[in-house]
Amino acid sequence: MKTLAFIALLGIAVLSGCASTPPGSTAPQASTATATVQKPSPLPIPAASAKKLVLVMSGAKASTEAKDWASFKEEWRATFAAHAKEAGVAFAMQDGAARPAGDAGTLLSVYVNDYRMVGIGARIFLGVMSGNAYIDAKANYSDLKAGSSFGSRDYNTTSSAWHGIFAKMTPQQVDAIASQVFSELKATP
């Protein structure tokens, strides 16, 4: 009976060791995808422009030539489409360089400086070894009809692999950015 109890305690110790805090650091807090936005004042987006959002993505050469760039862009497209549907906002994605379309709306030009995509499968199977997911991007908001600028925002998200399988992966980080973009559209005068 003592052997069975010892094996059970050993198993618990081994499993809990995977989620331990590395030496010299503090215990991790609850896992959240954080999106840091430098937001000096609300963007002056007219109400008519808040009813349609067109997303254009570009980035640094290292970003756009990454093997998972197409998957990364698809993550943005799907997430923004879901947020748009929920908010009752028309949504489209534009390929190529950002250009006015002649319709009332907001043109969101996202330039991705750098990112590291970590999916749910990698986080579950590799845990800490999957590394940190992050996004470093700048978004320019402009009038879809005329091309005039409403302003810009820097979006920087990160996760900590030390949160284990509960760390926020790329999908949750894109979702956090989309939430902030749609809150900008909601805040229109």
Side-chain angles (χ1 to χ4, degrees):
M1 192 61 145
K2 286 183 180 181
T3 305
L4 184 59
F6 176 74
I7 291 172
L9 286 174
L10 182 62
I12 291 171
V14 167
L15 291 175
S16 64
C18 294
S20 67
T21 304
S25 67
T26 58
Q29 299 301 313
S31 173
T32 58
T34 57
T36 305
V37 182
Q38 296 174 359
K39 192 172 179 180
S41 61
L43 293 173
I45 301 172
S49 294
K51 296 181 188 307
K52 182 175 184 178
L53 180 71
V54 175
L55 174 63
V56 179
M57 293 188 69
S58 64
K61 186 176 180 178
S63 295
T64 60
E65 292 182 355
K67 65 181 178 183
D68 57 4
W69 176 250
S71 299
F72 184 67
K73 281 178 59 175
E74 175 56 26
E75 185 65 48
W76 281 69
R77 188 209 57 76
T79 302
F80 273 72
H83 277 265
K85 184 177 180 180
E86 183 179 310
V89 173
F91 173 75
M93 195 148 178
Q94 193 180 80
D95 288 326
R99 61 198 176 283
D103 300 335
T106 300
L107 180 61
L108 183 67
S109 305
V110 176
Y111 185 88
V112 179
N113 295 307
D114 197 10
Y115 74 97
R116 181 159 190 279
M117 195 163 173
V118 176
I120 295 167
R123 185 68 80 201
I124 288 172
F125 291 115
L126 299 174
V128 171
M129 293 175 23
S130 66
N132 296 331
Y134 60 85
I135 300 170
D136 174 13
K138 181 173 184 135
N140 291 308
Y141 293 74
S142 57
D143 184 7
L144 182 61
K145 190 172 199 168
S148 56
S149 178
F150 297 138
S152 65
R153 297 283 185 254
D154 291 323
Y155 295 108
N156 299 295
T157 65
T158 189
S159 70
S160 173
W162 289 108
H163 289 140
I165 63 170
F166 301 107
K168 298 299 181 184
M169 286 87 42
T170 302
Q172 289 89 349
Q173 293 179 7
V174 173
D175 186 65
I177 293 170
S179 293
Q180 291 184 0
V181 167
F182 281 91
S183 73
E184 288 283 357
L185 294 178
K186 262 194 202 175
T188 60

